[in-house]
Amino acid sequence: VKPGYYLKITSGPGEGQIRVICEVTSATEIVVEKFTEDPTSSSSYIINDEGEYHTSWAAFFANKAGAQQFIITQVPDDIVNDANWRGAIDKTKENVSGRQGWCLVPLYSMDANESLISYIKTYLQNMNSTLTNKERIALFGAKTNLTATDIISLLNGIKYERIGVIVNPYATYDDNTFGSEYLAAYVAGLFCNPDYDAGEPISGKIVSAFDYIDDPFITFEKNQFGQNGGIVIEKQGVDYKIVHFLSTDTTDIIKAELKVTKQKDVIKKRMRTIVENSIVNSRSAESARSRANSLVTMILDDMVAKNEISDYKDLKLEFDANDPRQLNISFTFKPTFDINWVYVTFGATIS
């Protein structure tokens, strides 16, 4: 038993309530968030590290944010260990009923020591390779008990443009407490919302499915999280909002913005669907190159017109010099970015 595990009251006073364990103070004593109805010595409970409500609640929150389709896998027999987690993740490699998943949300909160992180990074790299061509990103939740220093260590330990981390410790809904991995499920639902195109800002979006979202950090700490690629949700007025939708790799603007990764993936999927269906298995001739040029231009012009991307340039289509069976297409695109800050300068004069 350790912080980040879940306690569920299974019978007696307080039955059905679930709380994240915040602290283990002794071999017989733990600290959890306040119960709506306190359990007594006659109450029974169970403790494990994945919760008793994981997949259905995660899909519920993601759907609240707009996601319409889900691919859900579960560790075998609810035995939570690295091997079973890896097996569950591996099941998402294949399409389900012709559908391809995109945003992976492990329902397990993370700290810098989790060996599962390196496995997921390798999984994402393999899925996004030109050999596999099945685009993936991932959103994590940070463990409940982490200090600001711990969170920064977690972010720096990941440092990958296809992984985002929600740093808020927990949230509540309907008398239950949920770890930040369920906040990640909601944010994934926003990111996968079919009503939002690739240029849609996620920064500033309202997180509306929870009654309360814990935000214990001071402004300086939250600024540090942002500089290191953490996703913070904070209360602004009456609403909880995503401050900045970042990846854990902030080495440059392109890698830092998860929204740009989505734009890259949408371009790849559209090119693969439209261009390959039209060109592959046709004759290697100038007419095929010309047709491909028209299709690529149509796709990119449409994305510019919809403000999914800002612009593109240097479009080239050439048959490979060493293998005429291969048509090489290359271009550079300018992503759309969100306005996150306004900087005003002015002076005063008497003339």
Side-chain angles (χ1 to χ4, degrees):
V1 177
K2 61 181 180 179
Y5 279 32
Y6 294 92
L7 178 145
K8 180 179 181 179
I9 308 301
T10 55
S11 66
E15 181 177 354
Q17 294 179 93
I18 301 168
R19 294 294 183 267
V20 176
I21 295 174
C22 299
E23 185 179 357
V24 178
T25 54
S26 72
T28 59
E29 187 174 79
I30 60 174
V31 177
V32 300
E33 291 298 319
K34 183 176 175 60
F35 287 103
T36 304
E37 178 189 359
D38 288 334
T40 68
S41 58
S42 65
S43 301
S44 299
Y45 64 90
I46 58 173
I47 294 175
N48 63 36
D49 68 347
E50 64 170 2
E52 290 296 299
Y53 55 115
H54 43 294
T55 54
S56 58
W57 274 117
F60 170 79
F61 290 129
N63 180 251
K64 279 276 192 181
Q68 300 298 309
Q69 297 180 349
F70 311 93
I71 296 174
I72 296 173
T73 65
Q74 189 168 349
V75 293
D77 301 320
D78 287 338
I79 299 171
V80 183
N81 56 37
D82 265 11
N84 282 347
W85 265 112
R86 294 177 184 195
I89 291 168
D90 285 346
K91 291 178 183 177
T92 68
K93 291 179 178 179
E94 302 303 321
N95 291 0
V96 177
S97 299
R99 301 291 183 177
Q100 175 185 320
W102 180 56
C103 185
L104 177 73
V105 182
L107 297 183
Y108 184 83
S109 53
M110 303 288 183
D111 63 27
N113 298 315
E114 293 294 343
S115 61
L116 198 60
I117 292 173
S118 62
Y119 185 80
I120 293 175
K121 287 178 70 173
T122 300
Y123 161 88
L124 293 173
Q125 289 163 356
N126 291 339
M127 296 305 290
N128 288 286
S129 68
T130 54
L131 181 64
T132 306
N133 274 330
K134 291 185 177 181
E135 293 76 23
R136 294 287 193 280
I137 66 164
L139 291 179
F140 295 166
K143 282 198 181 300
T144 302
N145 62 318
L146 300 187
T147 65
T149 301
D150 293 334
I151 289 173
I152 291 172
S153 295
L154 169 63
L155 299 172
N156 290 336
I158 298 172
K159 208 172 188 63
Y160 186 43
E161 64 185 298
R162 287 185 171 271
I163 297 179
V165 177
I166 313 298
V167 303
N168 299 70
Y170 67 89
T172 64
Y173 174 78
D174 196 23
D175 291 332
N176 287 313
T177 302
F178 297 87
S180 61
E181 61 268 37
Y182 294 88
L183 288 166
Y186 181 93
V187 175
L190 281 174
F191 208 27
C192 296
N193 188 326
D195 292 334
Y196 297 154
D197 64 28
E200 180 73 20
I202 302 300
S203 300
K205 284 283 187 289
I206 294 173
V207 180
S208 59
F210 299 91
D211 301 323
Y212 170 78
I213 298 175
D214 194 40
D215 178 19
F217 303 106
I218 62 175
T219 299
F220 173 78
E221 291 170 332
K222 288 190 280 190
N223 288 340
Q224 290 290 104
F225 298 156
Q227 291 171 17
N228 289 276
I231 300 171
V232 177
I233 300 170
E234 68 178 11
K235 195 165 189 177
Q236 299 178 4
V238 298
D239 297 315
Y240 291 101
K241 293 185 177 182
I242 298 168
V243 176
H244 197 171
F245 192 53
L246 293 164
S247 84
T248 53
D249 186 348
T250 57
T251 51
D252 63 58
I253 295 172
I254 298 294
K255 291 180 178 179
E257 297 286 342
L258 278 170
K259 170 181 164 177
V260 175
T261 299
K262 182 176 183 177
Q263 291 171 45
K264 291 179 184 177
D265 288 355
V266 168
I267 289 173
K268 285 191 284 185
K269 289 176 183 178
R270 290 180 186 171
M271 293 287 178
R272 191 160 57 240
T273 301
I274 296 174
V275 178
E276 285 190 0
N277 288 345
S278 177
I279 302 301
V280 171
N281 295 324
S282 65
R283 296 186 184 186
S284 177
E286 177 59 27
S287 59
R289 192 196 69 83
S290 178
R291 188 163 69 253
N293 184 79
S294 297
L295 289 170
V296 172
T297 300
M298 177 192 71
I299 293 168
L300 296 175
D301 283 348
D302 182 64
M303 293 187 74
V304 171
K306 293 177 179 177
N307 287 323
E308 291 188 271
I309 62 175
S310 294
D311 200 1
Y312 68 94
K313 62 182 180 179
D314 302 330
L315 175 60
K316 295 180 181 178
L317 293 90
E318 299 174 336
F319 287 107
D320 192 89
N322 298 315
D323 188 346
R325 298 170 297 179
Q326 177 173 307
L327 179 63
N328 298 325
I329 302 173
S330 64
F331 60 90
T332 302
F333 84 95
K334 181 180 179 181
T336 59
F337 294 100
D338 304 337
I339 300 174
N340 295 313
W341 306 280
V342 176
Y343 181 60
V344 179
T345 59
F346 60 91
T349 180
I350 60 173
S351 61

